[in-house]
């Protein structure tokens, strides 16, 4: 399963039309599922190994979540939530399932 397929599956199985969610939630759900996490690691190794983790996560938000324009729409790029490392909340994208 590709990382893009994992993201589609997460959105389809966990959110109803009209629900709001942020990129950090999707990233957390990817890392909590062994199959999704494997796809995440494979994608990083294949295409993004010259990036920082933060840059990779930005690409996931912009290109993989944002690329699902038939399933989600961007609401704001200034949602503030905990990232995967916890600690201080950081800005990320807020989405709504269509």
């Amino acid at each position: 399963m590709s990382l893009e397929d994992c993201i589609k599956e997460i959105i389809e199985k966990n959110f109803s039309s009209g629900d709001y969610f942020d990129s950090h939630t999707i990233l957390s759900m990817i890392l909590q599922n062994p199959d999704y996490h494997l796809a995440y690691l494979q994608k990083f190794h294949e295409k993004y190994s010259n990036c920082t983790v933060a840059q990779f996560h930005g690409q996931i938000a912009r290109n993989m979540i944002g690329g699902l324009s038939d399933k989600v729409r961007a609401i704001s790029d200034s949602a503030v939530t905990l990232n995967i490392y916890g600690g201080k909340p950081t800005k990320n994208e807020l989405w709504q399932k269509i």
Side-chain angles (χ1 to χ4, degrees):
M1 177 182 288
S2 72
L3 183 56
E4 292 85 346
D5 290 337
C6 296
I7 292 167
K8 284 181 196 175
E9 187 170 283
I10 288 169
I11 292 168
E12 289 172 1
K13 288 186 173 183
N14 295 282
F15 303 101
S16 299
S17 181
D19 284 352
Y20 295 92
F21 58 93
D22 66 359
S23 299
H24 290 159
T25 299
I26 300 299
L27 288 162
S28 291
M29 294 174 89
I30 289 168
L31 298 178
Q32 292 172 17
N33 178 306
D35 294 329
Y36 299 163
H37 193 202
L38 180 59
Y40 167 93
L41 293 172
Q42 289 171 332
K43 186 70 161 191
F44 183 80
H45 178 71
E46 288 171 7
K47 191 171 179 184
Y48 296 97
S49 59
N50 61 338
C51 295
T52 67
V53 171
Q55 290 169 329
F56 179 45
H57 290 178
Q59 292 297 317
I60 290 171
R62 280 186 293 284
N63 299 328
M64 295 177 217
I65 301 171
L68 297 172
S69 58
D70 62 326
K71 300 194 180 312
V72 303
R73 67 183 179 114
I75 300 298
S76 171
D77 64 354
S78 59
V80 179
T81 57
L82 291 177
N83 62 37
I84 63 165
Y85 302 116
K88 185 177 178 183
T90 56
K91 287 186 178 181
N92 72 108
E93 193 83 35
L94 179 65
W95 306 94
Q96 183 177 34
K97 184 173 179 187
I98 299 173

